[in-house]
Amino acid sequence: MARDEPGRDTTGPAAQTASNDERNGASLMDRRSYLKLAGATAAAATVGTSAAHAAEGDYEVIEARGQTITIDSGQTWENKLIDLGSGNTITIIAKGTNWTVRNIGFRGTLGATGTAPNSGTVFGIADTGDGTSTLENIFWGRGNPDRPSNERPLMMWVDPDHSGHLDVKNVHFGHAGCNGIYGSAPAYNGNGGTIHIDSCYAYDNHHTAFRIGDNGCKISDSVVYKSGTRAANRGIWVWSGNYGDSATIENTHVVTNGAGGGIVTHNSPSIDMDHVYTDDGTGTHSGPEHFVPDSCPESPEAAASGGSTPSSGSSSADESTDTLENTLLVDGVGTSGGTRYEFTVSGAVEKATVKGATMDDGDTIESGHITGSVAGWRDSFRFAGDLEELTVDGNARVFVNGEQVDPADYGQEKPHVLTLVGNGTTANYELTVDGTIETIAGDNSEEHATVSSGNTVEGSIERDAQRFRFSGTLTDITFLGGSAHVYVDDQRIDPEQYSEQELLPHAIVIDGTETDGRTTYAFSVDGEVLTSSYRDASINPGDEIDGRSVSGKVDNGLDAYWFDGDIDDFRLSGNANVDIEYNARSN
């Protein structure tokens, strides 16, 4: 059962020095040179409070590493992009009076900031001097929706010491966890401070999106959305307080999709509602609409730079969303595993939040070509013109203008061509893509190359050309004992920029060519292991690699694997010969 009231913290988290987390700026160049990534800049941030006003369009980047940032009375903290990476944490404490926190964007996924059942808070806030403090233009892209509900932190916790007024405006809450904003404690358990939540958007907050008291708190021009795929409980929760006033909700939409209640109350609070749209009958009107308020930021960069529209990722800054008449939604909710996708449109395109989709930094847009990935969430885009190519590697569904489409109807399943041109030297090669790859019928690649695991090719080349079709991106290509010219589509690339992965040095060959009957085998290593076409071995779909363990069978052929480290265990049933060749590539 979700906890209704976190224990009161009278001291707040202890402030920590964060000088070790200050970093100098660095420009990152992705080696996927033919698909240039947008916004690949990781700059440094001075972690701490600041009253300085950043130049328009500028922001500092803070790498979250568990630090605590404090904002005191009269201070302004603004124009920060907080990079959580994968599972890092940060705590921001704003207390005192007449302080301002604005233009803050979060990217990455938040880690656990404490232990269940109260796993911490991102913002701990209160105006304790009877003044007015402000939080505005903040983007929270996505927490971890797969974390157990009692291990999800709060986005904003309003301390019971709050006695003044908080303006919470243009805040984008996504998968915040326990609550988007827990603001009822001052009404029933504290000093009676009020809150106005204005033009905010909340998506799939597990416990409650907006929680307020009936002590003069207000929610206006905001949207709460629940996808219906997770137990989201309440949309808005109003608590009865001790100050004899009422709460106000106006011009607000709450879409529940059957996932919990819309407007929920505790101890019969006094509420004034005007034009409150819900789909469960708890508001004043039916037929809620799902949209992001116009002034609410839709990307971390937009929030950090002080804008309400995406500051990067659009293929044309001059195109407004009004001219992007089409939508494309990649829906990974409820599917197993991850899905990689790419598509090409004939007009302008930009990231969007259709049906509560998040805007991820990893999705890239370059001249109408988009690449990205989803797991248990959604990505969406608005675009002009026609959808020309669409490739999907995984189980996610794709919707164009609300209608599910078959990727096979849009261009080729593997839209890219990789070409190797020999230069007279004999070269063995290995190459890998992060999608799928295949030889081309009738091409030299059929004779001289072998595809394994759907995304890796081993082969040799001396003269002529070999071609492959693939989806995704070329991630690695390594030559041994020679070289060749390499082209991706019509652009020549430098193989050295794609050779960061060290080749596994050792080989193990299970040779059944001179035996009768079937041989089955299983072994494990303490390093990495990959299927191989070494010594003209075949790649059998029935052979399996599970982490560092391998199992398979041979009849009258060869199976081979590359590995590093040592063999921990080996079992064989049959008469096949087993050869283990250490440092086989140098033999």
Side-chain angles (χ1 to χ4, degrees):
M1 179 175 179
R3 182 173 179 173
D4 290 341
E5 180 183 345
R8 180 171 178 176
D9 182 359
T10 58
T11 60
Q16 304 168 2
T17 180
S19 59
N20 291 336
D21 290 291
E22 298 175 7
R23 288 169 169 79
N24 291 327
S27 177
L28 303 180
M29 180 67 70
D30 196 290
R31 57 197 171 98
R32 303 170 184 178
S33 57
Y34 65 97
L35 287 178
K36 184 170 62 179
L37 298 182
T41 302
T46 299
V47 179
T49 58
S50 172
H53 205 296
E56 183 177 357
D58 284 343
Y59 52 80
E60 294 176 311
V61 176
I62 296 175
E63 294 185 2
R65 294 296 183 269
Q67 66 268 46
T68 295
I69 295 171
T70 58
I71 298 95
D72 297 321
S73 294
Q75 291 187 316
T76 296
W77 195 64
E78 61 187 348
N79 298 97
K80 312 293 182 185
L81 180 62
I82 299 174
D83 190 347
L84 296 163
S86 179
N88 292 306
T89 64
I90 193 168
T91 303
I92 301 164
I93 305 297
K95 295 185 72 172
T97 190
N98 297 322
W99 49 261
T100 298
V101 175
R102 66 183 170 211
N103 302 341
I104 310 297
F106 292 84
R107 70 183 178 198
T109 302
L110 181 71
T113 55
T115 57
N118 178 19
S119 56
T121 301
V122 180
F123 285 94
I125 53 178
D127 189 297
T128 56
D130 300 325
T132 297
S133 295
T134 302
L135 298 106
E136 63 180 349
N137 212 59
I138 298 172
F139 179 90
W140 181 268
R142 182 172 67 249
N144 186 347
D146 295 320
R147 182 181 298 155
S149 60
N150 65 339
E151 296 180 12
R152 301 185 193 180
L154 305 173
M155 175 64 171
M156 293 183 181
W157 158 248
V158 183
D159 194 278
D161 289 342
H162 174 50
S163 59
H165 180 74
L166 288 175
D167 279 326
V168 181
K169 184 177 178 66
N170 302 340
V171 177
H172 189 133
F173 300 88
H175 283 158
C178 181
N179 290 258
I181 181 167
Y182 189 124
S184 58
Y188 69 84
N189 189 32
N191 294 336
T194 56
I195 306 164
H196 183 190
I197 299 168
D198 183 38
S199 300
C200 292
Y201 173 77
Y203 171 75
D204 265 4
N205 301 137
H206 174 83
H207 190 282
T208 305
F210 307 138
R211 176 169 168 166
I212 61 173
D214 65 349
N215 60 326
C217 291
K218 183 177 182 179
I219 300 171
S220 61
D221 300 312
S222 296
V223 177
V224 175
Y225 179 78
K226 304 176 187 181
S227 66
T229 61
R230 301 182 185 276
N233 293 347
R234 308 158 183 87
I236 296 172
W237 201 8
V238 183
W239 276 55
S240 177
N242 303 318
Y243 291 87
D245 206 335
S246 63
T248 300
I249 307 173
E250 62 185 19
N251 299 323
T252 291
H253 295 252
V254 181
V255 184
T256 65
N257 284 318
I263 312 296
V264 182
T265 62
H266 179 77
N267 286 343
S268 302
S270 174
I271 310 175
D272 295 326
M273 290 196 292
D274 182 27
H275 287 85
V276 177
Y277 300 84
T278 66
D279 56 6
D280 68 346
T282 56
T284 61
H285 292 70
S286 60
E289 298 181 16
H290 178 213
F291 60 94
V292 178
D294 290 339
S295 56
C296 202
E298 295 192 46
S299 75
E301 294 82 4
S305 61
S308 59
T309 57
S311 61
S312 65
S314 174
S315 63
S316 175
D318 295 328
E319 291 283 348
S320 70
T321 56
D322 292 336
T323 65
L324 306 181
E325 66 274 15
N326 301 308
T327 62
L328 185 145
L329 173 71
V330 185
D331 190 351
V333 174
T335 61
S336 59
T339 295
R340 191 192 185 283
Y341 62 86
E342 61 179 302
F343 64 93
T344 303
V345 297
S346 61
V349 60
E350 68 180 23
K351 301 175 185 179
T353 55
V354 176
K355 289 191 176 296
T358 56
M359 304 179 79
D360 299 319
D361 297 327
D363 305 336
T364 65
I365 298 176
E366 175 65 19
S367 301
H369 185 86
I370 297 86
T371 61
S373 61
V374 297
W377 60 86
R378 300 179 175 97
D379 285 353
S380 71
F381 304 84
R382 295 187 182 278
F383 69 95
D386 297 321
L387 176 63
E388 297 179 336
E389 299 273 354
L390 174 63
T391 302
V392 177
D393 293 322
N395 297 320
R397 303 170 299 277
V398 178
F399 297 82
V400 175
N401 296 328
E403 298 291 332
Q404 186 169 354
V405 299
D406 183 352
D409 294 337
Y410 295 88
Q412 300 182 25
E413 182 181 357
K414 298 177 178 64
H416 303 300
V417 176
L418 185 144
T419 304
L420 304 179
V421 179
N423 57 15
T425 64
T426 300
N428 295 319
Y429 60 83
E430 289 187 9
L431 59 92
T432 304
V433 300
D434 62 4
T436 56
I437 190 168
E438 65 183 11
T439 58
I440 295 177
D443 188 84
N444 288 331
S445 60
E446 273 196 319
E447 180 180 354
H448 297 286
T450 302
V451 178
S452 61
S453 303
N455 65 348
T456 300
V457 173
E458 294 182 25
S460 62
I461 189 170
E462 181 177 359
R463 299 183 184 277
D464 299 323
Q466 297 175 22
R467 295 177 298 161
F468 306 86
R469 288 199 177 276
F470 72 97
S471 63
T473 302
L474 178 66
T475 59
D476 180 79
I477 181 167
T478 302
F479 287 98
L480 184 66
S483 63
H485 300 315
V486 183
Y487 296 82
V488 174
D489 296 329
D490 59 353
Q491 181 176 347
R492 184 175 174 181
I493 66 169
D494 181 359
E496 291 187 0
Q497 294 188 8
Y498 296 78
S499 302
E500 296 180 359
Q501 298 180 7
E502 183 178 354
L503 296 179
L504 302 182
H506 313 314
I508 181 170
V509 179
I510 298 91
D511 185 354
T513 55
E514 297 181 0
T515 63
D516 295 327
R518 172 168 295 181
T519 296
T520 61
Y521 59 89
F523 67 92
S524 61
V525 300
D526 61 5
E528 293 185 59
V529 61
L530 294 170
T531 55
S532 170
S533 59
Y534 181 60
R535 287 171 43 180
D536 296 323
S538 60
I539 305 296
N540 299 319
D543 300 339
E544 296 184 359
I545 297 179
D546 183 6
R548 299 177 179 180
S549 298
V550 178
S551 62
K553 58 183 180 294
V554 293
D555 291 317
N556 58 351
L558 278 79
D559 283 359
Y561 301 86
W562 294 115
F563 73 97
D564 63 1
D566 294 316
I567 296 176
D568 287 335
D569 180 61
F570 192 93
R571 287 170 289 166
L572 185 77
S573 177
N575 298 317
N577 295 316
V578 179
D579 294 332
I580 299 175
E581 300 181 29
Y582 288 97
N583 300 313
R585 298 181 188 275
S586 60
N587 292 341

